[in-house]
Amino acid sequence: NNLKPDFIIHTAGHIGGINASVNNPVDFFLKNLDIGRNVIIAAHQAKIKRLINLGSSCMYPKNSPQPMNENFIGDGQPEETSIAYAAAKYAGLKMCQALNHQNNTISFIPVIPNSAYGPNDNFDPHNSHVIAALILKFHEAKALNKPSISLWGSGLPKREFVYVDDIVLACIKILKIELSMELLPINIGVGEDISIKMLAEKIKRMINYSGEIEWDSSKPDGAPRKLLDNSKIQSIGWKSKIDIDEGLQLTYKWFLENKA
């Protein structure tokens, strides 16, 4: 009760990769629904000046046109492997819009960053996202001198990755400018994506693993592509500073110093 913040950046969530979300959909739906509802309503009751609520690119339709414009949200079914998480995040977005509408304000700001990565990522082998999972797998395979490593899917889907510091700077930028209803929700993306196969090759070279990569096509790929239209965020003067190669190096450096 003694804390009276003016601004909240709500990043909390129950997250994980395809394996975790497929096997635990109830957890992904209820935990994220509860987290979003509690934080957003508490901020409303405390009369917070602005709350930034981080959604997810999983909310977009599975076969959405690329790049994905914010107006496409709700136009189709999300990808099946992440639908529980997507539904909870979509509820948070609509809650922000409802509060703004009912109270004639722009205090609740839904943003949609694409796949975040960087220092302090979750490197748990069972529920990490793709970059953290690949760094852990290749690092362990090299340490154990494994002749090959098996990865899920075909490697063909493309993903857009945003370094965590760039997302922070985008949120700070949004907090400092005048907003309009037309600007919201707002994507945070770097404007280019990369195939999972190419990402794996980058991480393999970075870690200097000499074994082979085997792709297990019996495992799901997830959505074929999730590139965000970043024209809105660029229109307010934000642009990413860390490209994928530098970001991977910084992430692996942190991993070696803190997790390996």
Side-chain angles (χ1 to χ4, degrees):
N1 292 334
N2 294 325
L3 296 176
K4 300 291 183 183
D6 292 320
F7 307 109
I8 293 175
I9 301 176
H10 174 220
T11 64
H14 181 73
I15 62 171
I18 291 177
N19 186 40
S21 60
V22 167
N23 292 323
N24 304 282
V26 175
D27 289 348
F28 274 75
F29 183 71
L30 289 181
K31 288 181 179 180
N32 286 297
L33 198 62
D34 288 346
I35 292 168
R37 180 190 184 282
N38 290 336
V39 171
I40 294 168
I41 293 303
H44 171 60
Q45 292 170 342
K47 297 180 171 56
I48 297 298
K49 289 181 181 178
R50 283 189 179 180
L51 176 140
I52 290 182
N53 184 71
L54 269 66
S56 169
S57 59
C58 294
M59 297 186 297
Y60 281 97
K62 176 180 179 179
N63 296 310
S64 177
Q66 304 289 316
M68 301 187 295
N69 182 277
E70 292 89 345
N71 294 326
F72 299 161
I73 298 173
D75 281 354
Q77 184 91 336
E79 207 281 323
E80 294 84 356
T81 60
S82 58
I83 196 164
Y85 181 71
K89 286 297 184 179
Y90 182 70
L93 181 150
K94 301 311 285 187
M95 195 181 306
C96 288
Q97 291 178 326
L99 283 165
N100 286 338
H101 175 75
Q102 186 166 314
N103 297 287
N104 193 29
T105 183
I106 315 179
S107 296
F108 295 87
I109 306 164
V111 304
I112 308 161
N114 224 331
S115 302
Y117 74 102
N120 291 294
D121 206 340
N122 174 20
F123 289 89
D124 184 280
H126 302 295
N127 58 15
S128 56
H129 279 138
V130 62
I131 284 181
L134 289 177
I135 285 175
L136 179 65
K137 279 198 169 190
F138 280 110
H139 177 83
E140 290 183 342
K142 180 185 177 183
L144 297 172
N145 199 28
K146 289 184 176 181
S148 65
I149 183 172
S150 178
L151 302 179
W152 275 36
S154 65
L156 297 179
K158 288 186 172 184
R159 292 293 180 267
E160 177 183 32
F161 298 100
V162 191
Y163 191 70
V164 61
D165 289 13
D166 281 332
I167 295 175
V168 172
L169 292 174
C171 290
I172 292 170
K173 185 78 174 179
I174 291 168
L175 289 174
K176 289 182 174 180
I177 65 167
E178 290 295 322
L179 292 171
S180 65
M181 288 290 193
E182 292 72 28
L183 191 65
L184 306 179
I186 183 167
N187 289 331
I188 301 175
V190 300
E192 59 183 30
D193 53 10
I194 181 176
S195 73
I196 299 301
K197 186 171 286 188
M198 185 177 292
L199 175 69
E201 291 291 346
K202 282 180 178 290
I203 294 174
K204 177 184 175 180
R205 288 194 299 272
M206 177 181 72
I207 293 176
N208 197 26
Y209 172 65
S210 58
E212 298 297 320
I213 299 174
E214 298 174 352
W215 293 95
D216 184 357
S217 57
S218 70
K219 303 296 187 183
D221 268 335
R225 199 179 183 196
K226 294 196 296 182
L227 178 65
L228 295 179
D229 180 342
N230 67 353
S231 54
K232 279 188 184 180
I233 191 73
Q234 285 197 328
S235 74
I236 66 171
W238 175 89
K239 187 177 181 181
S240 63
K241 296 182 178 180
I242 306 294
D243 66 22
I244 186 68
D245 292 312
E246 182 181 2
L248 290 174
Q249 292 285 350
L250 292 169
T251 304
Y252 188 49
K253 180 176 183 291
W254 184 90
F255 171 84
L256 291 174
E257 292 171 353
N258 294 274
K259 292 291 183 180

